[in-house]
Coordinates of all heavy atoms in Angstrom, one line a residue:
K1376 N -149.8 -30.9 -151.1 CA -148.6 -30.6 -150.2 C -148.9 -29.3 -149.5 O -148.4 -28.2 -149.8 CB -147.4 -30.4 -151.1 CG -147.0 -31.7 -151.8 CD -145.7 -31.6 -152.5 CE -144.5 -31.6 -151.5 NZ -143.2 -31.7 -152.2
P1377 N -149.8 -29.4 -148.4 CA -150.1 -28.2 -147.7 C -148.9 -27.6 -146.9 O -147.9 -28.3 -146.8 CB -151.2 -28.7 -146.7 CG -150.9 -30.1 -146.5 CD -150.4 -30.6 -147.9
I1378 N -149.0 -26.4 -146.4 CA -148.0 -25.7 -145.7 C -147.6 -26.5 -144.5 O -146.5 -26.8 -144.2 CB -148.4 -24.3 -145.4 CG1 -148.6 -23.5 -146.7 CG2 -147.3 -23.6 -144.5 CD1 -149.3 -22.1 -146.4
V1379 N -148.7 -26.9 -143.7 CA -148.5 -27.7 -142.5 C -148.5 -29.2 -142.9 O -149.6 -29.6 -143.3 CB -149.5 -27.4 -141.4 CG1 -149.4 -28.3 -140.2 CG2 -149.4 -25.9 -141.0
K1380 N -147.4 -29.8 -142.7 CA -147.3 -31.2 -143.1 C -147.5 -32.1 -141.8 O -146.7 -32.1 -140.9 CB -145.9 -31.5 -143.7 CG -145.7 -33.0 -144.1 CD -144.3 -33.1 -144.6 CE -144.0 -34.6 -145.0 NZ -142.6 -34.7 -145.4
I1381 N -148.5 -32.9 -141.9 CA -148.8 -33.9 -140.8 C -148.2 -35.2 -141.1 O -148.5 -35.8 -142.2 CB -150.3 -34.1 -140.6 CG1 -151.0 -32.7 -140.4 CG2 -150.6 -35.0 -139.4 CD1 -150.6 -32.0 -139.2
P1382 N -147.2 -35.7 -140.3 CA -146.5 -37.0 -140.6 C -147.5 -38.2 -140.7 O -148.3 -38.3 -139.8 CB -145.5 -37.1 -139.5 CG -145.3 -35.8 -138.9 CD -146.7 -35.1 -139.1
H1383 N -147.4 -39.0 -141.7 CA -148.2 -40.2 -141.9 C -147.3 -41.3 -142.3 O -146.2 -41.1 -142.9 CB -149.3 -40.0 -143.0 CG -150.3 -39.0 -142.7 ND1 -150.2 -37.7 -142.9 CD2 -151.6 -39.2 -142.2 CE1 -151.3 -37.1 -142.5 NE2 -152.2 -38.0 -142.1
D1384 N -147.7 -42.5 -142.0 CA -147.0 -43.7 -142.5 C -147.5 -44.1 -143.9 O -148.4 -43.4 -144.5 CB -147.1 -44.9 -141.5 CG -148.6 -45.4 -141.3 OD1 -149.4 -45.1 -142.2 OD2 -148.8 -46.0 -140.3
K1385 N -147.0 -45.2 -144.5 CA -147.4 -45.5 -145.8 C -148.9 -45.9 -146.0 O -149.4 -45.8 -147.1 CB -146.5 -46.7 -146.3 CG -145.0 -46.4 -146.4 CD -144.2 -47.6 -146.9 CE -142.8 -47.2 -147.1 NZ -142.0 -48.4 -147.5
E1386 N -149.5 -46.3 -144.9 CA -150.9 -46.6 -144.9 C -151.8 -45.4 -144.6 O -153.0 -45.6 -144.6 CB -151.2 -47.7 -143.9 CG -150.7 -49.1 -144.3 CD -149.2 -49.2 -144.2 OE1 -148.6 -48.7 -143.3 OE2 -148.6 -49.9 -145.1
G1387 N -151.2 -44.3 -144.4 CA -152.0 -43.1 -144.2 C -152.3 -42.8 -142.7 O -153.0 -41.9 -142.4
N1388 N -151.8 -43.6 -141.8 CA -152.0 -43.4 -140.4 C -151.2 -42.2 -139.9 O -150.0 -42.1 -140.2 CB -151.7 -44.6 -139.6 CG -152.6 -45.8 -140.1 OD1 -153.8 -45.7 -140.2 ND2 -151.9 -46.9 -140.4
V1389 N -151.7 -41.4 -139.0 CA -151.0 -40.2 -138.5 C -150.0 -40.8 -137.5 O -150.3 -41.6 -136.6 CB -152.0 -39.3 -137.8 CG1 -151.2 -38.1 -137.1 CG2 -153.0 -38.7 -138.8
L1390 N -148.7 -40.3 -137.6 CA -147.7 -40.7 -136.7 C -147.6 -39.8 -135.6 O -148.0 -38.6 -135.6 CB -146.3 -40.7 -137.5 CG -146.3 -41.7 -138.7 CD1 -144.9 -41.5 -139.4 CD2 -146.4 -43.2 -138.2
E1391 N -147.0 -40.2 -134.5 CA -146.8 -39.4 -133.3 C -145.6 -38.5 -133.4 O -144.7 -38.6 -132.5 CB -146.8 -40.3 -132.0 CG -148.1 -41.0 -131.8 CD -148.1 -41.8 -130.5 OE1 -147.0 -41.8 -129.8 OE2 -149.1 -42.5 -130.2
Y1392 N -145.5 -37.7 -134.4 CA -144.4 -36.8 -134.6 C -145.1 -35.4 -134.8 O -146.2 -35.3 -135.3 CB -143.6 -37.1 -135.8 CG -142.8 -38.4 -135.6 CD1 -143.2 -39.5 -136.3 CD2 -141.7 -38.5 -134.8 CE1 -142.5 -40.7 -136.2 CE2 -141.0 -39.7 -134.6 CZ -141.4 -40.8 -135.3 OH -140.7 -41.9 -135.2
A1393 N -144.3 -34.3 -134.4 CA -144.9 -33.0 -134.6 C -145.0 -32.6 -136.0 O -144.2 -33.1 -136.9 CB -143.9 -32.0 -133.9
P1394 N -146.0 -31.8 -136.4 CA -146.2 -31.3 -137.8 C -145.0 -30.5 -138.1 O -144.3 -30.0 -137.3 CB -147.5 -30.5 -137.7 CG -148.2 -31.0 -136.5 CD -147.1 -31.4 -135.5
K1395 N -144.8 -30.4 -139.4 CA -143.6 -29.7 -140.0 C -144.0 -28.7 -141.1 O -145.1 -28.8 -141.6 CB -142.6 -30.7 -140.5 CG -142.0 -31.6 -139.5 CD -141.1 -32.6 -140.2 CE -140.6 -33.7 -139.3 NZ -139.7 -34.7 -140.0
M1396 N -143.1 -27.8 -141.4 CA -143.3 -26.9 -142.5 C -142.0 -26.9 -143.3 O -140.9 -26.8 -142.8 CB -143.5 -25.5 -141.9 CG -143.6 -24.4 -142.9 SD -144.0 -22.8 -142.1 CE -144.0 -21.7 -143.5
R1397 N -142.1 -27.0 -144.6 CA -141.0 -27.2 -145.5 C -140.6 -25.9 -146.2 O -141.4 -25.2 -146.8 CB -141.3 -28.2 -146.5 CG -140.3 -28.5 -147.6 CD -140.7 -29.6 -148.5 NE -139.8 -29.8 -149.6 CZ -139.9 -29.2 -150.8 NH1 -140.9 -28.4 -151.1 NH2 -139.1 -29.5 -151.8
L1398 N -139.3 -25.5 -146.1 CA -138.8 -24.3 -146.8 C -137.8 -24.8 -147.8 O -136.9 -25.6 -147.5 CB -138.1 -23.4 -145.8 CG -138.9 -22.9 -144.6 CD1 -138.0 -22.0 -143.7 CD2 -140.2 -22.3 -144.9
K1399 N -137.8 -24.2 -149.0 CA -136.8 -24.5 -150.0 C -135.6 -23.6 -149.7 O -135.8 -22.4 -149.4 CB -137.4 -24.3 -151.4 CG -136.4 -24.8 -152.5 CD -137.2 -25.1 -153.7 CE -136.3 -25.8 -154.7 NZ -137.0 -26.2 -155.9
V1400 N -134.4 -24.1 -149.9 CA -133.2 -23.3 -149.8 C -132.6 -23.2 -151.2 O -132.1 -24.2 -151.8 CB -132.2 -24.0 -148.8 CG1 -131.0 -23.1 -148.6 CG2 -132.8 -24.4 -147.5
E1401 N -132.8 -22.1 -151.8 CA -132.5 -21.9 -153.2 C -131.0 -21.7 -153.5 O -130.3 -21.0 -152.9 CB -133.3 -20.8 -153.8 CG -134.8 -21.0 -153.7 CD -135.6 -20.0 -154.5 OE1 -135.0 -18.9 -154.9 OE2 -136.8 -20.2 -154.8
R1402 N -130.6 -22.4 -154.5 CA -129.2 -22.4 -155.0 C -129.0 -21.1 -155.8 O -129.8 -20.7 -156.6 CB -128.9 -23.6 -155.8 CG -129.1 -24.9 -155.2 CD -128.9 -26.1 -156.1 NE -127.5 -26.4 -156.3 CZ -127.1 -27.2 -157.2 NH1 -127.9 -27.8 -158.1 NH2 -125.8 -27.4 -157.4
E1403 N -127.8 -20.5 -155.5 CA -127.4 -19.3 -156.2 C -126.9 -19.6 -157.6 O -126.1 -20.5 -157.7 CB -126.4 -18.5 -155.4 CG -126.0 -17.2 -156.1 CD -124.9 -16.5 -155.3 OE1 -123.8 -16.9 -155.3 OE2 -125.2 -15.5 -154.6
R1404 N -127.3 -18.8 -158.6 CA -126.8 -19.0 -160.0 C -126.0 -17.9 -160.4 O -126.2 -16.7 -160.0 CB -128.0 -19.1 -161.0 CG -128.6 -20.5 -161.1 CD -129.7 -20.5 -162.2 NE -130.3 -21.7 -162.4 CZ -129.9 -22.7 -163.2 NH1 -128.7 -22.5 -163.8 NH2 -130.5 -23.8 -163.4
N1405 N -125.0 -18.2 -161.3 CA -124.3 -17.2 -162.0 C -124.4 -17.6 -163.5 O -123.6 -18.4 -164.0 CB -122.8 -17.1 -161.6 CG -122.1 -16.0 -162.4 OD1 -122.6 -15.2 -163.1 ND2 -120.7 -16.0 -162.2
G1406 N -125.4 -17.1 -164.2 CA -125.8 -17.5 -165.5 C -126.3 -18.9 -165.4 O -127.3 -19.2 -164.7
D1407 N -125.7 -19.9 -166.1 CA -126.1 -21.3 -166.1 C -125.3 -22.1 -165.0 O -125.5 -23.3 -165.0 CB -125.9 -21.9 -167.5 CG -126.7 -21.3 -168.5 OD1 -127.9 -20.9 -168.2 OD2 -126.3 -21.3 -169.7
T1408 N -124.5 -21.5 -164.3 CA -123.6 -22.2 -163.3 C -124.1 -21.9 -161.9 O -124.4 -20.7 -161.5 CB -122.2 -21.8 -163.5 OG1 -121.8 -22.0 -164.8 CG2 -121.3 -22.6 -162.5
F1409 N -124.1 -22.9 -161.0 CA -124.4 -22.7 -159.6 C -123.1 -22.3 -158.9 O -122.0 -22.9 -159.2 CB -125.0 -24.0 -159.0 CG -126.3 -24.3 -159.5 CD1 -126.6 -25.4 -160.3 CD2 -127.4 -23.6 -159.1 CE1 -127.8 -25.7 -160.8 CE2 -128.7 -23.9 -159.5 CZ -128.9 -24.9 -160.4
T1410 N -123.2 -21.4 -158.0 CA -122.0 -20.8 -157.4 C -121.5 -21.6 -156.2 O -120.4 -21.4 -155.6 CB -122.2 -19.4 -156.9 OG1 -123.2 -19.3 -155.9 CG2 -122.7 -18.5 -158.1
G1411 N -122.4 -22.5 -155.6 CA -122.1 -23.2 -154.4 C -122.7 -22.5 -153.2 O -122.5 -23.0 -152.1
K1412 N -123.3 -21.3 -153.4 CA -123.9 -20.6 -152.3 C -125.4 -20.6 -152.5 O -126.0 -21.2 -153.4 CB -123.4 -19.2 -152.2 CG -121.9 -19.2 -152.0 CD -121.4 -17.7 -151.9 CE -119.9 -17.7 -151.6 NZ -119.3 -16.3 -151.6
F1413 N -126.1 -20.0 -151.5 CA -127.6 -20.0 -151.6 C -128.1 -18.6 -151.8 O -127.6 -17.6 -151.2 CB -128.2 -20.6 -150.3 CG -127.8 -22.0 -150.1 CD1 -126.9 -22.4 -149.1 CD2 -128.3 -23.0 -150.9 CE1 -126.5 -23.7 -148.9 CE2 -127.9 -24.4 -150.7 CZ -127.0 -24.7 -149.7
S1414 N -129.2 -18.5 -152.5 CA -129.8 -17.1 -152.9 C -131.0 -16.9 -152.1 O -132.0 -17.6 -152.0 CB -130.1 -17.1 -154.4 OG -130.8 -15.9 -154.7
S1415 N -131.1 -15.7 -151.4 CA -132.3 -15.2 -150.8 C -133.1 -14.3 -151.7 O -134.3 -14.3 -151.6 CB -132.0 -14.5 -149.5 OG -131.2 -13.3 -149.8
S1416 N -132.4 -13.7 -152.7 CA -133.1 -12.8 -153.7 C -132.1 -12.6 -154.8 O -131.1 -12.0 -154.7 CB -133.5 -11.5 -153.1 OG -134.0 -10.6 -154.1

Side-chain angles (χ1 to χ4, degrees):
K1376 300 186 74 174
I1378 297 166
V1379 177
K1380 177 183 177 182
I1381 307 296
H1383 293 82
D1384 62 21
K1385 294 181 179 180
E1386 285 71 39
N1388 302 308
V1389 177
L1390 299 174
E1391 294 184 359
Y1392 295 105
K1395 299 176 184 177
M1396 176 178 176
R1397 176 177 175 266
L1398 308 180
K1399 190 155 188 174
V1400 188
E1401 297 194 341
R1402 305 173 75 191
E1403 182 184 72
R1404 276 185 179 275
N1405 182 9
D1407 294 331
T1408 304
F1409 291 109
T1410 67
K1412 298 180 180 180
F1413 299 106
S1414 173
S1415 63
S1416 172

